[in-house]
Amino acid sequence: MQSIKRFSEQCRTRLKAEIKDAGGNEVFALGFLDEKGLVVKLEIAARGNEDSVLALYKRSRDGPLPDVFIHNHPSGFLTPSDNDLAIAARAADEGIGCFIVDNRVDKVYVVAEPTAKRIMQQLDAAAIIATLEAGGAIAKQLPVYEKRQSQLDLMRLIIRGFNENALIAAEAGTGVGKSFAYLLPGLSYALLNDERIVISTATITLQQQLYEKDIPLVTATMKKKVKTVLIKGRGNYLCRRRLADALGEPGLEDAEQEDLAAMRAWAETTATGSRSDLPFMPSGGLWSRVCSETDLCMGMRCSERERCFVLALRKESADARILVVNHHLLFADLAARHEGAGYDSTVVLPPYKRVIIDEAHTVEGAATSFFSKEFSRLGIYRQLGRLYRNRRGNRMGLLVRLVAQISGDITSIEAKYDTFETAIQRIRDLTETLDQSALELCQREGVFRLTPARDAIIQAALVPHFAALRKAITTLVTIIRNMLESLSAQFEDDPAVWEIKSILRRLESIVSLCTSFIEFKERSAEVLWIERHSGTIDRGAWAMFTVTPIDVAPVLRDALFQPNKTVICVSATLTVADSFDYWKNRCGISLVTDKQVGIGQFHSPFPYSSSVLLAIPADAPLPDQGTYQNFVDKAATELTLSAGGSALVLFTSYEALRSAYNAARPMLEEAGIRCLKQGDDDRTRLLQTFLKDEQSVLFATDSFWEGVDAPGDTLRLVILCRLPFRTPREPVFEARCEALEKRGGNAFMELSLPESVMKFKQGFGRLMRRSSDHGVVAVLDGRILHKRYGEYFLRSLPETRRSFHAFETILREIDRFLYS
């Protein structure tokens, strides 16, 4: 075939020149077609021989998927070789065609045709926006309609993201209605183009709200239903096979037996197998023994495959056009695709090209958490306990079932048990020794970071213990693998054998982490650190050993922003002093150079200027002054008394929280104000108690700075006791600051300050959740008025009424503001 029928003249000329420059040898290129099917764009992927096809595939995954693979035959004979046919078959699985040309690019042999390009239908912005205008389809569904211009403007930007295959970053203040602003374009685009869209949220709570409330309201106004599936992490679903195995274990406690029996009955009636649907709360340890886990799944070999909850969910999601997931699940899918699974087949999720990320300010933190690796004494003990335990003379665990499959006399069987017990006890002892040594290093600050400057103490106090533990685990793994190899083929699909192999892989990952800690000086791109965790009466304190990437921005660029056509990122807090730079740099979007990036700020429609008083005592001491904590204790008490409760008092340390709580509690309770403190109950129950009692005050730290939704008189006063700067010695933060300084940056201005401002905005945002809300935000940190950088915090807030006077004057102004 004449190449002019397949290539534009410009591409023919360029490819001919590239082949000539390569000395007539093979050149491998990626081709991109226009709507007529002509190659109009080329990217040279590799030069050399047929082995270069590996580079071809790698290059094709680094950016937009090509339409066709192209290479030349220097001999001039264009008949495809066996290797050419193999390449074409592999490419065809992904819809990619395969062309062979001669060195002059006069002729082309089409080994495989590329998949025809789909012409995507553009969203009609005017028609979609009209649904939220007065009298529109969505507006009619709302119990109370209120036009929000900022919501309509946000929707226009998101529509542009879909129509132009762009990346979008949008800050939408509280009350803008960002959910509808992205759901309407997202669902419309999915319906119009029959394309799958993933919506990712920071929490399961928001997932549930979107799936159960917001999406049904939007789809009710559409002519055709858009299939939507809610997907949680795999550990949220029951595994029938593991439940049956757990029920068959000897030596179960009565309470465990009762809970497992109740789960078995529930499994026959539940449609989803989701833990959230379970009518009672099993212990965390018991649920972990029966939940679905990727590395424990037997797949096609499972006897319960036909009734598998996870498989049913996967089938359900295969033809869904909207998938509602959480960030952790999204990153699990993206990581697998980035590491080689590709973007055109089902991995953790079905394939997709467009993503909406809500609460996008959490992206860096979620990615950091996902890509971190960790182990602890409790985790090791849990794995060992699954393998073998001896409870009051009763041998239990997977290895007991393994030994039962191996023939031998009593003496040889007892010898096997002795070997297990010795090896497992050795690991337990070494783990305990390592744990105690690590806790001693964490004594003063609660954390210990491995750095070259601490090499001497690390070599003395940690490395020998890591090495000994690594050797002991390897020994146990070898013993068990040798036993597995002696099994006859009929036991290969035995569930116990399958689970043993999975546990061995987990133990081997701990061996790998031990090696990372031993070789810490060679791992400059990671932070290796240890953190002390408070124990319980029966467990005591324990150490968590963690390896964390310093910079996740490149991974997010390569796995999220680069391969997907549209990524919409929305949050109430993405800017610092009206600039997106901090967030863009941390999440990797600033590293993308070949895509359009649209940004926009959409201010809250709520009447902050009349409904919120920002109160900052001009006489508040600085946190490093000796009088600061006493001032906070006194101010928190008097402010809460002035408001009559209905207060949320936020701290940056638990020590400061305890001091203020203990100082305030006698006076507040005498005044009939109920005092609640983080740590006295789990977060959900504590919040529910607070929301039900308008005459209560909640003293809380880190996790309560965001995610608290308390409208109306439930919350009229938010006290931010201290600007939420990260502790400078926090290991990951410290390493990231050092990395910034090495690159010539300013760690305070580029990381510490903007991160603190973002969290400050979240804390401020707890007060006003509805347009009718009315209240006070008090800041007790003198730095906001007396340090130059305090202006960054003030400029990042909406316009409010202000009172920056002496504390006694502020008390009187708050009283007038709340009650006049």
Side-chain angles (χ1 to χ4, degrees):
M1 180 187 296
Q2 294 297 310
S3 61
I4 195 171
K5 295 182 179 181
R6 294 289 182 158
F7 292 82
S8 69
E9 186 58 36
Q10 182 182 7
C11 285
R12 286 181 66 241
T13 302
R14 184 188 170 195
L15 187 54
K16 181 178 178 180
E18 293 284 354
I19 294 169
K20 183 178 180 180
D21 288 346
N25 292 312
E26 284 190 286
V27 172
F28 293 82
L30 311 179
F32 299 85
L33 308 182
D34 64 8
E35 294 178 2
K36 297 178 181 178
L38 285 181
V39 177
V40 293
K41 178 184 173 184
L42 285 175
E43 287 185 15
I44 304 304
R47 299 171 180 83
N49 52 45
E50 290 184 350
D51 292 336
S52 298
V53 74
L54 295 176
L56 187 73
Y57 270 96
K58 182 180 185 303
R59 181 68 175 274
S60 73
R61 300 201 192 289
D62 289 342
L65 199 68
D67 297 305
V68 62
F69 288 161
I70 305 163
H71 74 283
N72 60 304
H73 275 189
S75 66
F77 295 102
L78 303 190
T79 303
S81 65
D82 290 342
N83 203 24
D84 290 333
L85 294 173
I87 294 169
R90 182 176 173 185
D93 288 340
E94 300 186 15
I96 301 173
C98 192
F99 294 176
I100 302 172
V101 298
D102 62 351
N103 278 15
R104 292 179 56 82
V105 199
D106 289 329
K107 297 180 180 180
V108 59
Y109 187 100
V110 178
V111 184
E113 291 282 3
T115 301
K117 289 183 74 71
R118 290 181 62 199
I119 299 175
M120 307 308 290
Q121 300 295 312
Q122 298 272 294
L123 291 175
D124 184 338
I128 294 174
I129 290 170
T131 64
L132 267 176
E133 296 272 14
I138 297 291
K140 289 179 179 178
Q141 297 287 324
L142 299 173
V144 178
Y145 171 74
E146 178 182 346
K147 181 178 178 179
R148 302 174 185 179
Q149 189 58 47
S150 53
Q151 182 183 52
L152 304 182
D153 293 341
L154 170 59
M155 199 181 304
R156 285 189 182 90
L157 179 64
I158 291 172
I159 289 170
R160 205 186 103 200
F162 282 104
N163 285 344
E164 299 177 12
N165 292 339
L167 308 178
I168 298 296
E171 181 178 76
T174 305
V176 166
K178 57 184 170 66
S179 297
F180 284 143
Y182 64 68
L183 286 176
L184 272 164
L187 271 64
S188 298
Y189 195 90
L191 188 61
L192 187 64
N193 291 293
D194 192 28
E195 190 169 336
R196 183 178 292 110
I197 294 172
V198 171
I199 301 174
S200 182
T201 74
T203 64
I204 289 179
T205 302
L206 186 50
Q207 272 186 278
Q208 298 278 165
Q209 178 185 317
L210 289 173
Y211 182 73
E212 296 173 1
K213 179 182 175 185
D214 296 343
I215 292 176
L217 193 151
V218 173
T219 55
T221 66
M222 294 183 160
K223 296 177 181 178
K224 186 177 178 183
K225 186 177 180 182
V226 182
K227 184 175 180 181
T228 302
V229 173
L230 171 69
I231 307 178
K232 303 174 189 176
R234 190 163 188 149
N236 287 281
Y237 299 96
L238 179 74
C239 173
R240 293 180 186 272
R241 177 191 62 77
R242 296 191 74 207
L243 173 61
D245 287 348
L247 281 162
E249 280 192 25
L252 288 170
E253 300 284 353
D254 290 344
E256 291 177 325
Q257 188 72 50
E258 289 176 10
D259 279 355
L260 289 171
M263 282 190 216
R264 179 172 56 188
W266 168 75
E268 298 306 316
T269 60
T270 176
T272 66
S274 174
R275 184 179 183 178
S276 62
D277 295 338
L278 192 61
F280 63 94
M281 185 68 69
S283 69
L286 190 61
W287 179 259
S288 70
R289 285 162 60 183
V290 299
C291 69
S292 178
E293 296 191 46
T294 301
D295 62 341
L296 299 179
C297 178
M298 294 183 67
M300 296 291 291
R301 298 178 176 87
C302 182
S303 59
E304 293 284 359
R305 184 174 183 275
E306 295 302 318
R307 301 200 302 157
C308 174
F309 293 114
V310 171
L311 188 57
L313 181 64
R314 181 166 288 187
K315 289 178 180 177
E316 186 72 9
S317 63
D319 62 344
R321 286 298 165 260
I322 301 293
L323 303 179
V324 183
V325 305
N326 57 49
H327 294 345
H328 189 86
L329 195 63
L330 175 66
F331 288 133
D333 183 78
L334 291 173
R337 295 183 188 281
H338 180 56
E339 290 166 7
Y343 290 85
D344 295 285
S345 58
T346 296
V347 186
V348 177
L349 303 172
Y352 52 89
K353 287 296 181 184
R354 303 183 196 274
V355 183
I356 298 170
I357 299 179
D358 202 344
E359 301 298 320
H361 66 280
T362 65
V363 163
E364 184 193 16
T368 297
S369 174
F370 177 80
F371 289 108
S372 293
K373 299 172 184 176
E374 61 188 23
F375 76 92
S376 68
R377 169 173 60 88
L378 298 183
I380 292 176
Y381 285 1
R382 191 176 302 116
Q383 301 306 320
L384 296 178
R386 291 291 298 129
L387 287 173
Y388 180 82
R389 58 195 184 279
N390 192 326
R391 184 182 291 174
R392 295 189 293 273
N394 291 321
R395 289 171 172 153
M396 294 175 284
L398 295 164
L399 292 180
V400 175
R401 294 163 64 180
L402 176 62
V403 170
Q405 312 294 347
I406 301 173
S407 58
D409 55 32
I410 295 296
T411 303
S412 66
I413 290 174
E414 288 299 322
K416 287 182 176 63
Y417 283 129
D418 289 342
T419 302
F420 292 151
E421 290 184 1
T422 300
I424 287 174
Q425 190 58 48
R426 171 73 174 158
I427 294 173
R428 293 180 68 92
D429 292 343
L430 291 171
T431 301
E432 178 69 28
T433 302
L434 172 63
D435 193 66
Q436 289 303 313
S437 183
L439 288 173
E440 289 174 13
L441 294 177
C442 294
Q443 279 290 333
R444 189 173 64 182
E445 296 179 344
V447 295
F448 181 85
R449 179 184 164 208
L450 282 71
T451 65
R454 292 171 162 175
D455 187 51
I457 191 171
I458 292 167
Q459 295 298 331
L462 290 177
V463 169
H465 303 313
F466 279 121
L469 179 60
R470 179 176 65 176
K471 182 178 179 181
I473 294 176
T474 302
T475 298
L476 175 65
V477 169
T478 301
I479 290 169
I480 297 173
R481 286 205 187 282
N482 289 338
M483 287 187 63
L484 291 171
E485 289 174 4
S486 69
L487 287 174
S488 60
Q490 72 185 85
F491 295 113
E492 285 184 4
D493 293 342
D494 184 279
V497 171
W498 195 271
E499 196 147 341
I500 287 170
K501 289 179 179 178
S502 297
I503 291 174
L504 295 186
R505 288 193 292 272
R506 293 181 182 183
L507 291 174
E508 286 171 331
S509 72
I510 294 173
V511 167
S512 177
L513 287 175
C514 286
T515 299
S516 296
F517 275 89
I518 292 170
E519 300 173 352
F520 74 96
K521 287 185 288 186
E522 301 171 25
R523 309 187 78 84
S524 59
E526 297 170 322
V527 192
L528 292 94
W529 54 292
I530 306 167
E531 183 176 24
R532 176 190 178 92
H533 286 251
S534 299
T536 56
I537 295 175
D538 57 332
R539 283 182 176 174
W542 46 280
M544 179 67 77
F545 302 86
T546 307
V547 179
T548 299
I550 292 177
D551 189 1
V552 296
V555 175
L556 287 170
R557 173 197 61 195
D558 296 342
L560 173 62
F561 296 114
Q562 200 71 57
N564 287 295
K565 292 180 179 178
T566 298
V567 182
I568 309 291
C569 298
V570 294
S571 172
T573 50
L574 290 184
T575 66
V576 175
D578 297 327
S579 171
F580 283 86
D581 288 351
Y582 167 73
W583 179 82
K584 287 167 64 178
N585 290 335
R586 300 308 304 172
C587 76
I589 202 169
S590 63
L591 300 177
V592 179
T593 58
D594 60 347
K595 285 177 177 282
Q596 292 186 61
V597 178
I599 61 173
Q601 268 185 291
F602 304 91
H603 298 295
S604 171
F606 290 171
Y608 282 93
S609 59
S610 60
S611 298
V612 175
L613 173 67
L614 177 63
I616 306 177
D619 52 352
L622 304 184
D624 58 0
Q625 293 178 311
T627 57
Y628 173 72
Q629 189 59 53
N630 286 335
F631 172 79
V632 169
D633 294 349
K634 175 177 178 292
T637 303
E638 295 189 24
L639 287 167
T640 304
L641 283 170
S642 176
S646 304
L648 175 65
V649 191
L650 294 172
F651 300 84
T652 59
S653 77
Y654 200 74
E655 183 180 356
L657 181 156
R658 278 197 301 268
S659 176
Y661 176 83
N662 290 333
R665 184 178 176 184
M667 292 182 65
L668 295 182
E669 291 192 342
E670 185 178 339
I673 297 172
R674 184 178 185 179
C675 293
L676 305 170
K677 173 167 61 72
Q678 183 178 347
D680 289 346
D681 204 342
D682 78 69
R683 188 179 191 278
T684 301
R685 284 196 293 269
L686 197 62
L687 267 179
Q688 288 174 345
T689 302
F690 174 64
L691 294 173
K692 289 176 183 177
D693 189 348
E694 291 184 5
Q695 284 191 300
S696 66
V697 55
L698 174 58
F699 294 75
T701 60
D702 191 59
S703 66
F704 285 80
W705 282 72
E706 56 183 288
V708 176
D709 192 3
D713 287 340
T714 300
L715 184 59
R716 293 183 296 165
L717 171 66
V718 173
I719 303 175
L720 308 179
C721 295
R722 188 167 180 161
L723 299 180
F725 284 103
R726 190 84 69 95
T727 304
R729 302 296 293 175
E730 192 272 317
V732 177
F733 179 74
E734 182 182 50
R736 287 175 172 169
C737 286
E738 291 172 2
L740 256 174
E741 299 282 357
K742 284 180 182 178
R743 295 197 298 266
N746 184 315
F748 180 76
M749 294 302 295
E750 295 177 43
L751 181 59
S752 182
L753 178 61
E755 181 186 74
S756 180
V757 171
M758 294 270 277
K759 189 161 187 176
F760 179 79
K761 289 172 67 176
Q762 284 287 331
F764 176 90
R766 295 314 94 213
L767 178 68
M768 199 157 188
R769 310 305 297 172
R770 303 291 185 272
S771 61
S772 58
D773 288 351
H774 177 81
V776 178
V777 176
V779 183
L780 305 182
D781 189 331
R783 291 176 295 180
I784 196 168
L785 295 182
H786 303 302
K787 296 290 185 180
R788 290 178 63 185
Y789 58 75
E791 187 63 24
Y792 282 89
F793 291 89
L794 296 175
R795 283 170 50 197
S796 296
L797 298 179
E799 182 181 347
T800 66
R801 292 178 62 176
R802 291 183 172 187
S803 176
F804 297 173
H805 303 111
F807 181 71
E808 294 302 326
T809 302
I810 280 178
L811 277 178
R812 291 193 294 273
E813 292 194 2
I814 287 175
D815 188 69
R816 285 196 297 270
F817 181 78
L818 289 178
Y819 301 109
S820 62

